[in-house]
Amino acid sequence: MTEFIAGFDPGGQGGFGWCVLEDKNGLPLTVVGTGTVSSARDAKSAVDNVRRTASGKIKAIGIDAPLFWDPQGGREVDQHLRKIISN
């Protein structure tokens, strides 16, 4: 069975991001779906649709909830994860 990792980025009305990554037990992860919707309910539905279409299961969920703000703008961990996922 295909295993997925789901990600959610709460951003308010019209700005709630979601993504689904396929985990093939090694890097890089494969992006299989992304989008921006208006609510958590819509984001969950979108992720469920991707999962059902691929007959897989969600093995992990990540929710963007920063515990700090960097006065210079970006967070180093975000840049590192984007680099890993895009390779």
Side-chain angles (χ1 to χ4, degrees), residues 22-83:
E22 183 177 353
D23 183 4
K24 297 178 183 174
N25 294 319
L27 296 176
L29 302 173
T30 302
V31 177
V32 294
T34 65
T36 305
V37 294
S38 293
S39 69
R41 178 176 287 141
D42 292 344
K44 181 188 175 301
S45 292
V47 167
D48 282 343
N49 287 336
V50 171
R51 179 194 55 79
R52 275 194 300 274
T53 299
S55 299
K57 70 176 184 174
I58 303 293
K59 71 180 228 175
I61 295 174
I63 300 171
D64 186 10
L67 300 177
F68 66 93
W69 291 98
D70 183 342
Q72 281 78 39
R75 292 181 295 158
E76 193 173 318
V77 69
D78 290 338
Q79 295 165 7
H80 180 70
L81 289 173
R82 286 186 192 110
K83 184 177 178 181

